[in-house]
Each structure stands twice: as C-alpha cells, then as structure tokens.
Amino acid sequence: MTFNLGMDITVALGGGGAKGNAHIGVLRTLEREGFRIKAIAGTSFGGMVAVFYALGHSPDDIEEIFNSFDQTRMYGHKTGDEPSLLGIEGGTAWLETRLGDKTFSDLKLPCVLTATDLKSGSEVILSEGSLVEAILATTAIPGIFPARRKGDLELVDGGVLDPVPVGPVRSLAPNIPVIAVTLNEPIGLPAQPWIVPIPGFVPQYLVERISRSRIAQAVNVILRSFDIVSRAVAYNRLQVDRPALIVRPAVSDIEILTKVDVHDVALRGEAAMEMMLPELRNIFAWQNRLRRAIGMGA
C-alpha cells in the first residue's frame, strides 16, 4: 500500500437540491487551506457543482455563476419531456447557455457523476458525452423532474442509490483520502417537508387552495418518506464506503426546491469544513507517522 504525503485529496459531493450550494464553501475552504483536489465526483446538485469545478472554475466563480441564475425561471415543461410534476425547461436553457456542447473530455480534472437506471435498478457512472445531459440525469429527482433517456437507459437522480459518491471518486484516484460532503440529516430526526414550487403567475388564492388539496398533501407525504429513505441510504453507503472524512453542512432548514441566497448557503459549507479541518490535518499527520514507522522516509 502507498500513502499520500502531501495535501492531495478527492471529494465526493452529495445531493440535496438548493442545499448543494454549501458545496461551494467546502471547496473554497479546502483550496484556501492548501489542499489539492485531485478528483471529484457528484450526485444530483453535487454533480452540477462538480462539473463546474472540474471545468476549472474557482469556488468564487461558481458562486457568481449560480447567483446569476434567476431561480424563479427554473421550471416549465417542454415538448417531449418524460412525465413529471415539474419540468426544468428554464434550468436546461441556462445549462445549455453556460456549458454549450462541452463534454467530459473538456474537463481539467478527473470527474464523474452518478445516475440511477430505472430499467435495470443499477447505478450508472456518467463519465463521457454531454455535460448538460449528465447534469440533467443526475439531478432528475424521481417523479419531480423528467427522467433522461440515454440509449436503453432511463436515468434519474443518482442519489436514489448513492447519495454521496465515495466509491466512484475513489476509483478515479485510489490511495488518496476521500472527503465526503453529505447534505442529508442523520437518521432519527423528523422527516423534512418539501414545498413543490408553483409558477409565479398562479394567483395566491389558488396557490393556497392547491397547497391544501388532498393531492398536494399526498405528495408531501411521499416526499417526506423519500427524505427518510435517502437518509438511510446515505448512512448505509457511507458506512460501507468509509470516506476518510465526512462533512455535514448545517442546511437542514433549507428545502430542496426552495429559492436560496447562494452566498449564505455557501458560507454554511465553509463553516462546516472549517470545523473539520483539525481532523483532516490529523489524517495526513497519521499517514506521515505511519510511513516513517515502516521505514519509508519522511
């Protein structure tokens, strides 16, 4: 076995919708403290952050880019969409404007995203082809956003099977510590309600009626259940995949589909990573001591 003596790390960014802006702050803190990110993987919103970072954008750049997007223009169905509660026409147009026809071959850093194939029930590693299509696949929350077709695959959110892609990023750079950033709350806390966005042109009185409807309440139960399942999957995967460090930004009060202040959420990621820096430095100190103990030099 070999050990990394420098400050090289890999990062796995978990899903969480609007909470995922916290990833920006985590990356910013790691860079500021001198850690070198050698590979990155992401699921759902974490996948989008991973792509922009792997393209060479700094965390500050990513914050500015994300902040420039009018979050109220995210939704809307377009012809040919798979069935879903919400379309993501505005978000798709924004991604196409920002990324154009860029593919994984344009990335400056090893990067993969994850998705789930509904037909086979398997995890799919996205590592080639269109970056826009990969992001749309990894962020396709089942039933909420349209699934994406890729050949014989019917792809939805990678978080269904792998909320924090530790294994995929480890495969890109073995023997380098993996920092896992999870946006899920621990098991045992109350389920989080989701508010499904309603277009701004809908009158307020109608919004209130819709929110009180049996269908809306049923959807809320389904989504809260999905939150509990997602936590359990994340917990079990992290127990199996065993990253070197788990970072958990304080974002429990943020709903997945809500409009947020990107800078505020990024600051929460910074705070969470700063709290874990002593433990991260200890990992490298332990590796150095072990290397010296087995006579491999300082």
Side-chain angles (χ1 to χ4, degrees):
M1 179 180 288
T2 60
F3 296 93
N4 172 55
L5 288 180
M7 300 279 276
D8 294 346
I9 58 172
T10 62
V11 181
L13 303 180
K19 302 177 183 183
N21 290 289
H23 292 317
I24 300 170
V26 171
L27 296 174
R28 181 155 48 215
T29 299
L30 288 170
E31 282 195 353
R32 184 176 65 238
E33 297 299 320
F35 294 95
R36 297 182 295 267
I37 299 173
K38 308 301 287 187
I40 192 167
T43 292
S44 199
F45 198 100
M48 182 164 66
V49 175
V51 163
F52 278 88
Y53 189 77
L55 279 169
H57 294 289
S58 71
D60 288 348
D61 290 339
I62 298 172
E63 181 178 315
E64 183 177 347
I65 291 168
F66 286 11
N67 195 51
S68 70
F69 175 59
D70 183 353
Q71 297 170 45
T72 64
R73 304 174 73 89
M74 169 79 76
Y75 307 108
H77 283 100
K78 63 179 181 179
T79 304
D81 273 353
E82 297 291 318
S84 62
L85 285 176
L86 296 173
I88 195 170
E89 183 177 14
T92 301
W94 179 78
L95 285 172
E96 290 172 343
T97 298
R98 285 289 179 180
L99 301 177
D101 58 359
K102 285 186 173 64
T103 69
F104 279 85
S105 63
D106 293 303
L107 299 179
K108 298 175 173 60
L109 185 71
C111 172
V112 295
L113 309 188
T114 65
T116 304
D117 177 27
L118 291 178
K119 290 187 175 181
S120 66
S122 301
E123 181 177 29
V124 175
I125 304 300
L126 303 173
S127 59
E128 59 183 18
S130 165
L131 293 176
V132 171
E133 283 301 315
I135 291 173
L136 292 175
T138 195
T139 57
I141 302 173
I144 304 298
F145 296 147
R148 307 298 297 186
R149 301 280 179 171
K150 183 177 181 180
D152 294 331
L153 304 177
E154 186 179 2
L155 301 178
V156 295
D157 195 319
V160 172
L161 289 176
D162 197 357
V164 190
V166 173
V169 79
R170 181 175 283 138
S171 70
L172 295 176
N175 301 322
I176 294 179
V178 179
I179 311 304
V181 187
T182 179
L183 306 175
N184 296 89
E185 285 297 290
I187 295 175
L189 296 179
Q192 286 188 272
W194 291 17
I195 295 179
V196 177
I198 298 174
F201 60 79
V202 177
Q204 183 60 34
Y205 78 89
L206 190 54
V207 171
E208 294 175 359
R209 287 183 59 185
I210 292 172
S211 64
R212 291 195 301 266
S213 71
R214 292 179 64 85
I215 292 177
Q217 293 178 39
V219 168
N220 182 263
V221 171
I222 293 170
L223 295 179
R224 288 165 64 205
S225 301
F226 182 77
D227 175 58
I228 293 174
V229 171
S230 180
R231 292 187 205 179
V233 173
Y235 174 82
N236 290 325
R237 287 299 298 254
L238 290 171
Q239 290 295 304
V240 171
D241 293 333
R242 300 186 67 81
L245 187 72
I246 298 175
V247 181
R248 194 186 300 272
V251 289
S252 62
D253 59 312
I254 300 173
E255 294 171 359
I256 286 179
L257 301 179
T258 194
K259 180 180 178 181
V260 297
D261 181 326
V262 174
H263 180 65
D264 173 70
V265 183
L267 286 177
R268 301 189 192 198
E270 287 190 44
M273 189 65 248
E274 286 169 358
M275 287 182 61
M276 301 303 294
L277 285 174
E279 187 171 341
L280 180 55
R281 293 193 180 100
N282 283 339
I283 291 170
F284 287 98
W286 176 85
Q287 287 188 346
N288 289 338
R289 288 195 298 270
L290 181 59
R291 187 180 178 94
R292 287 193 293 270
I294 60 179
M296 297 178 66

